[in-house]
């Protein structure tokens, strides 16, 4: 099955930037979505951003809109999450996921956990005050 590997996490001060990468081991269908989620102890995994593999379908959570940008390089089977103006509340383990559902009527990816078939191992992001 598809394997996903994240990288790019680290520790930065508030206001700084990081770029996360997620590379898939094999092709995933163009009508499905790639997504980024984050998780902290005691809370449910939260959808952050998503993009349709074939283009479009972009979704951002309200908490990151205007600060984070999702993009992809299909030639490399890689999806990116550029994170700017980072805040301490962005501290979390970040996971990428593959084969999420695409809402073609509204041109947006769904970010329900149950809609994604494959998950990476996670990369830690820590933002200091």
């Amino acid at each position: 099955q598809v394997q996903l590997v994240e990288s790019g996490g680290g520790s930065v001060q508030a206001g700084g930037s990081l770029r996360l990468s997620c590379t898939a081991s094999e092709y995933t269908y163009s009508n499905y979505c790639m997504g980024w989620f984050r998780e902290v102890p005691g809370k449910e995994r939260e959808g952050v951003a998503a993009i349709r593999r074939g283009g479009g379908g972009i979704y951002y959570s309200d908490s990151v809109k205007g600060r984070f940008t999702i993009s992809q390089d299909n030639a490399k089977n890689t999806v990116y999450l550029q994170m700017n103006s980072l805040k301490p509340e962005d501290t979390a383990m970040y996971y990428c996921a593959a084969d999420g559902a695409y809402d073609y009527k509204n041109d947006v990816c769904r970010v329900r956990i149950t809609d994604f078939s494959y998950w990476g191992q996670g990369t830690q992001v820590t933002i200091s005050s």
Side-chain angles (χ1 to χ4, degrees):
Q1 60 181 14
V2 175
Q3 293 183 320
L4 305 174
V5 179
E6 302 102 330
S7 63
S11 181
V12 298
Q13 295 183 354
S17 298
L18 286 171
R19 189 181 75 161
L20 307 184
S21 299
C22 173
T23 299
S25 63
E26 60 190 83
Y27 174 80
T28 56
Y29 291 110
S30 62
N31 285 334
Y32 289 164
C33 298
M34 299 288 293
W36 286 98
F37 292 74
R38 64 188 182 186
E39 184 175 347
V40 298
K43 295 184 178 181
E44 292 187 346
R45 191 168 296 186
E46 172 192 22
V48 174
I51 186 170
R52 178 174 175 262
R53 177 55 68 91
I58 291 176
Y59 165 87
Y60 296 106
S61 68
D62 290 339
S63 63
V64 308
K65 191 173 297 182
R67 299 188 297 120
F68 291 9
T69 302
I70 189 169
S71 62
Q72 63 188 346
D73 184 342
N74 285 335
K76 298 180 179 179
N77 289 332
T78 299
V79 62
Y80 305 96
L81 186 67
Q82 179 66 46
M83 304 186 295
N84 298 327
S85 301
L86 285 162
K87 304 174 181 180
E89 53 261 43
D90 294 319
T91 295
M93 183 72 75
Y94 283 72
Y95 298 89
C96 65
D99 284 6
Y102 172 65
D103 181 352
Y104 62 90
K105 293 182 179 180
N106 296 301
D107 187 27
V108 65
C109 292
R110 296 178 178 177
V111 291
R112 297 173 181 175
I113 293 174
T114 54
D115 287 335
F116 288 83
S117 299
Y118 308 104
W119 295 85
Q121 82 288 348
T123 185
Q124 179 67 40
V125 171
T126 302
I127 313 301
S128 60
S129 300

